Amino acid sequence: MRLWPSLPLVLLLVPPALTSSQSPWSTLPPTTTTTKTTIVDALSADPDYLSLLLLLQRARLIPTLNRLQGCTLFAPTNDAIKRHTATNPLWRQALLPYSLLTDNVEDQLRQQLFYHLLNYSIPILPDTSLIQTHNTLLFPRKHIEPPSREPPPFPPWLPIPGGTLGGAPQRLRLSSRDEKAWVGVDALGKAGTQIIKSNTDAGNGVLLGIADVLEPPLDLARVVSQHSAVSYFHKVLTSEIIKFLSTSTELTLFLPVNDAWDHLDPYERLYLESPYATDDLNRIVNMHAVVEKGVRYSDSFGSGTNLTTIDGTTLEIVVSPEKTMISTANLVQPDIYASNGVLHLVDSLLVPPGALQLTPEKYLLALNCTAFVSLLHSVNLTSYINDTEAKYTILAPKDEVLSIFGEGQLPERGSDELKRLLQYHFIPGRWISDKLKDGMLLETALEEEGLDGGRQVLSVEVSKDEKKPAEKAFRFGGAGIIGEPFKVNKTLVYFISRPLVPPVDPLQSALPFLDLSSFLAAIFSTSQAETLRTTPRTSLLIPLNSAFKRLGMLVSAHLLAASSKPDLENVLLHHALKSVEYAEFLRNGSQRTFATLEGSDMQVDRMSNGTVFLSSSGGWTGMKAELYPQDLLTQTGVIHEVSDILIPRSVHLTVGKLVKAAKGSTMASMAVKAGFEWVLNGTAPPEGSPWVNGRLPGSGWTLLCPTDDAFKGINLTQLYADVEGLHSIVTQHLIPSPPPESGLKDSDPLYNNRPLSFDDSPTYTTLQSSNSAYGDIVFQRRNEEGTDGYIVGIKGARGTDGHGDWARVLSWGRSTTGGGGVIQIDRLLIPYHPPWWLAYGAPTGVGALGMGLICLFFYGVRAVWRRDTAEATYEPSNDSPAAEESRGSAVESAKSFIAGGFGGVSAVLVGHPFDLTKTRLQTAAPGVYTGAVDVVKKTLARDGLTGLYRGMVPPLLGVTPIFAVSFWAYDTSKNLIFTLTPNRTSQSLSTAELAAAGFMSAVPTTLITAPVERAKVLLQVQGQGGSGPQYKGVLDVMKHLYKEGGMRSIFRGSGATLARDGPGSAAYFAAYEVTKKALTPAGSSSADLNLSAIILAGGTAGVAMWALAIPPDVLKSRIQSAPTGTYSGMLDCARKTIAQDGVRALWRGFGPAMARAFPANAATFLGIPTVRPRLTTRSPSASEIARNIKNFETWSAYQCCEQVSYSDIPEILKTDVTKLFDATRRLPSSWVDKVTFLGCKDAETPVTEQRELYAEISVVFCAWKRLQWMRKSREKWSEADYAANVYNVFRSPAVQESTHRVHCSISLPQPVILSNLGTQASRILNTKTVAPDCAIFIPAARVRSLSHAAGSPFKTLKSHASVAKTGNTTKGSSFRFQSTPCAILPDTPSFEFASSFWEDKKPVHQLLEDAYRQNRMATAAAVRHLHSLHIHAPILGLVWASGTVRAHVDWCNTDEDKPLTILSAPYPGAAESGSDENTFHEWQLDRPSDILAVYFLIRNLDRWTNTTFRELVVKGVNDLRDSIVDQNGEYFPWKRVGELGTVGTSDKENVSNSTSAQSTPPKMKQRRYRVR
């Protein structure tokens, strides 16, 4: 039976735990068994179990054994226990007879004995290698330390359920090996102890003797440490993991065997073996450990079983007959029992891909940077090397590098100083070598307190190997790079040659540099050292030692004096910027002004060549220092070097302070006694001083200061008593400072510390100069006895030019109060009084060749342009009309250029005194002048009459190109406006268009005006207010400006110049044209205005211009005369001018400008019309005549051309003309019914003709469709586009029988009236050719009979004696020239006859009337040609424009009683239309009927030319031959030969009597035809 009911069910109901592979139990060997009542009885009966029985008694397990029913006890023999006690002190202690109990329960002993006891009987032992698994009565639990002394639980003999296996008992395996039974084997059937005593049935159970004591499984930590297959894991175990393995309960652990770790990345393995891999090891363990309710033995595994690890990963178990898979690993050895779980061995790590990332720390440890990593751990900076997502560039020193530095050379481990040092080795971002550039600064991870929490930067140096240019060497903060950089995820590691040390404070950083020692010494001598050392975020600008010398020895002496500490401290603080500015920003940044600790500003000027200059807030004008960016990093910012010391505005270096530094107390006393103490103080003259109303503009003075030693031989008492002499001596040493230079003397700022320039033997005016001709002083360079220096003397003294009374220049200092300063000399200069014969013997004489050269220039230009550069000679050229027009346009532009230049010279000569007055008023300081009259008075008093023309050379030299470009640009702009408005209805420009042309003319003019104005202004303002001359002339000005700032300095003020001249020119030209128009009488031309009207128009234009231009002109004058950096632009100048002088300042000089405007600009416009006609000698082209209606009327009058009505056509010609325009009955009516394109209906046409007509209509339809498309498109089409796409598409195919010529040059006829020719009329009538776009000729073959036969009219007339031969003999007789209307003669001498001319409107034709007039000139020539050959036929003209066509008919009157007249009538349309005969009919080609009508008109013209017109030609030529041969008639040539004179008739001209009948040209019939 079983135990009584009080025994827990967990003990009573434990069944035999047999594995699935367990075989049936075999029967015990046939041995003798002894049956006992209980197990205890069996143990007592066998002396081999006495030791075991004693232990059971000590553990109080006798009652347990007595009450168990069906149990199994694996009993170790006495020998087994004896061996065990040798290694187990617990058992050894328990076997002692008088041993003390460690606790009342003996829990450890009980648990070990329970491991030998099963709650069921094993009937048979295994006889095969298959393993049996059994549950023992051992429920492992954690031992209580120290052992409890509480009474044992009741009943004391029961095993306590629960424990570290989740309430499950510990398991025990049995197996058979070597035909023997073994107990306590592993999962492979190995190890364990042998059952050596046969099965004893004890009544309530089975007793089996074993050879060794069964050791209960240990905790997992000790199991792992004892298992050789996981020795590598045991090697990398940390104390934390050991604790976890030993204390966790119900733990199922899957551990990879040793070989599995070889698959890890080598760097990961090295990292795991380091003392810093705790996190990775913990995660690895967690990914292999499962903690659930109960331990998962292998017999619970089945396919589809999923286990969740502590890390959260899932282990998928797949069981097959061949193997068991744990995720991706094979189960190598299952079920290694432990007291708190079970251990399974797998052949690979159960780590998901990417779970273990290679961090920078792992690589650093693997690459011999363990010391560096150790230091990072000591200051808790491991986040920099463990974050795989962070981008860092790590500068890591290897162990061998750090080993050089002992413990004392690095900050203490764990200290903040060490933390700063290590943070300096980390650069945010991944900086590969290709991104590194020499001189760049990279932000590090070090957040510096001295930078207000900003990141400290690290310098980068990149150098190339001279032998291997492709290879580069890199240095970070001066530390070299060892080997190649190493990439780890997003981190880049450079191995450096030494640890990097963060920057220290500024003064300590600068201390090693000897070139900065003087400035550092000055800092330590004041109380500002700590301020400069600790103020955060500062940039220290430290001058080199040589800067103190270049500052001027007197200024340096003053600053370093003990009494000048405040000034010195302000200078020192002025060199500390209140922001951190590194070299790159200072070179290429946009910020120009930086605040300093002193409270003032520092300005940065960046030159185009990369040089950077610094300007102080105070000091002297133009004071600059060159910046040498060094990027010397400090704890609070950065240090740069500068070439010179800069003076802030808070430091006032007066003349008195510099005199004190020059040891010139005697000279200071003399100045005070002479009333010049205000000069020493740097202030304005006091009230009541004689200098208050004098010529002195300010307090800028240079004092020549002799040292006190220079007065040793002088009786000071006598000198002080002579007040006049004392005053004379002091004024001899006082030099009014010239206007401050607007920039550096040159590009090198190291020599801008002098009060005056000493180079090039300059001469300066002193206060004594106004009283004596020998008041000026001169500086010269001397090299005596190897010493290079300067001397100063009175100019012209004793005739020695400074060699007589002179002194050596010892040192100097520059004042900051108004300019000037002190020059220390070694001798007193006594004013010079020459003898009488020298006083009046100074040579005088001034000569000028400028005006003569200008006159010579214009004379040469006139001589050149008198040549005819555009018109064809007697033998016509092959030049196209376009080329002729282009050449003529260029000539006109050149004439505008020359005429404008002549007008500009006139304006300068008249207006320059006014301009000088205006400029001086605009640029002078307030109070210098009381008005324009005061300017003139003071200028005349100082410089005489020539002073009013100071600065005239630049405008005189530039005025020709300025005015020339202006008037050329004005004419060009007007032509541009005409071109952009092709459909305009008026030939004259509106006022707005004139203003626009004027504005555009100012744009190119500014390129010349700006530098000329710059030089003129500088020359005009020098000398005002008593200052001496600064520039020797215009070349000196331009040289100075170029040295100062290159072309940018020369063109300073260009924007303001354009702002003045743009609106000014708009008003200028618009007012001129409007005034001329207003002054022109009705019916007259503006060219006929008299002199007074032109002067009034020009003067009005000038007044209009300056009424707008004064404010921008004031700004321009100030910008161009101010020192460099005074104004940043025109708006800045306006703002400062208004803030300083008020809005009224923008109108300074208005009076002189208005006074100048009228006479100067009147002279300009008087000069232009005076000179331009003298330059115009060539004849205009036919196109130019047509575009000028007045010129065309002149040409028509002398050619006797008249415009008449269509009804005036003679009846003899009317029939032919009517047939030409008749387009009726040309289309079949059937076509009209079916084709909607056709708009007219006529009679039927034979089928054969219909086919030809259909082909022709198809061509017309294509042209019409193309025109429709052009009309609908939004593009702007030129007349050339219409001709190419529409006209030529159908008009060329329409000419099928005649000869169609394009751009054929036609000779113009000689005038009918040749007497009383004026200059203009002669120029117009000398035009020889016109080139219509198209011409229709009779084919040469059709008139060959008139020329080629032996008795033909051509040969008869040509050889007849009465035909005059006035042509070129090389070209044959003149009749050959007269026989064709063409300018180019045919290859074979013969007649040529034209019946029609067509003209397309050109872009140069402003109106359609221009093209009509040009076509009239061609038809008139053809009519004259026919008339000379006795041919009475009309000539048809067509004018094409923008898809419309007009027609006119020209003929010659046949009335012999009247003079020769060429008549022209517009075609008004068909008679039945009822149109006005004075109206042009326009065919609109986009209407199908009209385009067909034009096509049929051309077809009619083509047939008429070869039929009726040819017949009239043959008849007329034969009549001429008969008249001359048979009737002694006379032939009158129609072409002109030679040039026309201006009076009477030239002998060279081919003149007929009939053409000179009239002495004056008739008045034309002025009929204006309208368009219908």
Side-chain angles (χ1 to χ4, degrees), residues 619-898:
W620 43 79
T621 303
M623 186 178 196
K624 291 180 181 288
E626 185 174 356
L627 177 69
Y628 306 130
Q630 299 297 317
D631 279 340
L632 179 58
L633 305 177
T634 69
Q635 195 169 351
T636 58
V638 68
I639 293 176
H640 301 294
E641 296 178 2
V642 291
S643 63
D644 290 86
I645 297 174
L646 298 172
I647 307 298
R649 59 173 172 261
S650 60
V651 175
H652 302 289
L653 297 176
T654 62
V655 173
K657 291 180 179 180
L658 297 178
V659 167
K660 183 179 178 180
K663 300 179 181 178
S665 57
T666 304
M667 188 63 191
S669 300
M670 293 174 61
V672 172
K673 290 183 178 294
F676 289 99
E677 67 277 5
W678 52 274
V679 173
L680 301 180
N681 297 331
T683 60
E687 292 294 332
S689 170
W691 305 102
V692 171
N693 298 320
R695 297 179 299 159
L696 308 179
S699 55
W701 299 93
T702 298
L703 176 64
L704 302 176
C705 180
T707 62
D708 291 340
D709 294 338
F711 292 89
K712 288 183 179 180
I714 298 177
N715 189 337
L716 295 180
T717 303
Q718 182 179 357
L719 180 61
Y720 289 163
D722 184 4
V723 177
E724 185 177 349
L726 177 65
H727 187 274
S728 179
I729 291 175
V730 173
T731 54
Q732 184 70 66
H733 290 76
L734 270 177
I735 305 171
S737 296
E741 298 185 18
S742 59
L744 299 178
K745 181 71 177 175
D746 49 32
S747 59
D748 186 355
L750 308 184
Y751 300 99
N752 65 343
N753 58 352
R754 299 175 180 173
L756 301 171
S757 175
F758 303 156
D759 297 323
D760 300 326
S761 300
T763 299
Y764 294 100
T765 301
T766 67
L767 286 185
Q768 183 68 8
S769 298
S770 59
N771 301 320
S772 172
Y774 296 92
D776 293 351
I777 55 105
V778 61
F779 288 87
Q780 291 185 357
R781 195 183 189 97
R782 285 289 185 268
N783 190 351
E784 300 177 358
E785 300 178 0
T787 302
D788 190 14
Y790 296 92
I791 63 171
V792 59
I794 299 175
K795 184 175 183 180
R798 297 180 178 83
T800 59
D801 198 21
H803 291 285
D805 292 347
W806 60 273
R808 239 183 231 100
V809 175
L810 302 179
S811 60
W812 55 81
R814 197 166 176 181
S815 171
T816 62
T817 55
V822 174
I823 300 175
Q824 186 186 39
I825 56 179
D826 65 347
R827 186 183 301 177
L828 184 67
L829 300 179
I830 303 297
Y832 176 65
H833 301 285
W836 64 270
W837 51 271
L838 285 177
Y840 300 99
T844 58
V846 177
L849 298 178
M851 187 56 66
L853 293 175
I854 292 175
C855 293
L856 183 62
F857 167 76
F858 284 115
Y859 180 80
V861 170
R862 183 177 184 277
V864 172
W865 286 107
R866 285 184 64 85
R867 299 174 57 188
D868 190 355
T869 58
E871 187 60 57
T873 59
Y874 167 70
E875 295 299 330
S877 65
N878 293 325
D879 290 345
S880 66
E884 185 174 327
E885 286 190 20
S886 175
R887 197 162 54 236
S889 178
V891 172
E892 292 304 308
S893 296
K895 291 175 181 177
S896 297
F897 188 94
I898 297 169

Side-chain angles (χ1 to χ4, degrees), residues 559-582:
L559 291 178
L560 297 178
S563 59
S564 304
K565 291 294 182 185
D567 283 352
L568 178 60
E569 289 180 351
N570 286 335
V571 170
L572 297 178
L573 294 178
H574 188 60
H575 286 75
L577 305 183
K578 293 176 67 175
S579 58
V580 180
E581 308 299 343
Y582 298 111

